[in-house]
Amino acid sequence: MKLYTYYRSQASFRVRIALNLKGIAREDSYLHLEKGDQFVAEYRALNPQMLVPTLIDDGVELFQSLAILEYLNERYPQPPLLPAEPEARAWVRGLALINVADSHPLIVPRVRHYLTDVLKLSDAQRLAWIQHWLGLGLEAIEAQLARHPESGDFCHGERPSIADICLVTQVTPAKTFDCPLDAYPRIMRIYDTCMAIPAFSDAHPTRQPDAE
Ligand SMILES: N[C@@H](CCC(=O)N[C@@H](CS)C(=O)NCC(=O)O)C(=O)O
């Protein structure tokens, strides 16, 4: 498998975790998003949205991290990244989407650049934007965990799922952008449990060969 990735990309981080959990080896191809590698014609032909990650499996081009996680889970079922029961699967997917669909899209590089370059926000205003949207996502995840009896060391049950992968990619930028985290004890317990697992810690941005 070949993964087009950038060390700081949270969407790439999700896919790196899933591949590690499944024990699938990969070759990484590094794109430097701040230098515009995603816009070169060769990559655009592969991923017209010009975003990372892209995963190539047996000639199949896969895009959008959550779709890639679902693909990996269907194609390589062990260990499972979703619970068995439909209700629990829906809950896990819902929790993941708080990060993937509602929080992370508001803080990606292209949005941050638009805030600064087009709307001329100051650094302080831009940071307030990032902290605001990350904070709302954290609040929602913490509230869902509080009312979910099956949450504990992981979001659901006794093993990591897609929800845990996406919880980790909510917390990591929150740490980078100095969001207060004291109000989220459930999230931080799960984050610490996950980061003690090599499949998660080896996938962390700081552990990638292209990290700066
Ligand atoms: N929803 C997409 C998000 C992909 C995405 O926005 N990736 C970011 C890095 S995390 C990117 O490539 N950004 C380039 C840019 O914003 O110009 C996914 O989950 O794969």
Side-chain angles (χ1 to χ4, degrees):
M1 285 204 199
K2 184 165 184 176
L3 178 65
Y4 291 83
T5 175
Y6 178 54
Y7 76 102
R8 269 209 322 237
S9 155
Q10 298 303 311
S12 303
F13 188 11
R14 292 179 201 126
V15 175
R16 293 194 299 260
I17 296 168
L19 289 168
N20 290 350
L21 285 168
K22 299 278 185 189
I24 299 170
R26 66 177 197 269
E27 176 198 337
D28 282 344
S29 181
Y30 303 109
L31 275 73
H32 198 302
L33 297 186
E34 294 303 330
K35 291 183 183 163
D37 290 351
Q38 69 273 37
F39 303 121
V40 301
E42 207 177 296
Y43 187 67
R44 189 179 190 153
L46 200 59
N47 184 326
Q49 216 184 352
M50 295 173 281
L51 305 176
V52 291
T54 303
L55 182 71
I56 315 284
D57 183 19
D58 213 9
V60 180
E61 295 163 5
L62 301 151
F63 59 96
Q64 285 286 342
S65 62
L66 195 57
I68 296 173
L69 300 193
E70 295 265 1
Y71 166 86
L72 289 172
N73 200 46
E74 288 171 17
R75 176 71 76 189
Y76 308 93
Q78 295 303 325
L81 298 180
L82 284 170
E85 318 75 38
E87 299 79 5
R89 291 163 88 85
W91 188 87
V92 162
R93 287 181 170 122
L95 203 85
L97 283 164
I98 295 174
N99 170 243
V100 175
D102 291 342
S103 207
H104 176 245
L106 292 163
I107 66 149
V108 289
R110 58 197 178 284
V111 169
R112 300 203 305 266
H113 286 304
Y114 190 84
L115 295 174
T116 307
D117 302 343
V118 179
L119 299 183
K120 306 294 179 197
L121 262 55
S122 67
D123 287 350
Q125 287 173 314
R126 191 178 69 144
L127 182 62
W129 168 283
I130 293 168
Q131 291 177 336
H132 174 74
W133 295 114
L134 283 173
L136 278 189
L138 288 164
E139 274 176 38
I141 293 171
E142 184 73 16
Q144 285 293 351
L145 292 170
R147 49 193 256 160
H148 189 65
E150 289 87 358
S151 79
D153 287 338
F154 294 107
C155 292
H156 179 90
E158 302 302 316
R159 64 169 80 224
S161 69
I162 283 173
D164 300 281
I165 294 174
C166 297
L167 176 148
V168 162
T169 62
Q170 182 80 19
V171 173
T172 308
K175 284 174 170 266
T176 303
F177 292 107
D178 295 324
C179 295
L181 293 168
D182 289 348
Y184 314 114
R186 294 174 183 82
I187 291 177
M188 294 315 294
R189 181 178 62 235
I190 294 168
Y191 177 82
D192 290 341
T193 305
C194 288
M195 294 315 293
I197 300 171
F200 282 82
S201 53
D202 290 350
H204 191 273
T206 55
R207 301 278 297 275
Q208 303 316 297
D210 60 329
E212 293 169 343

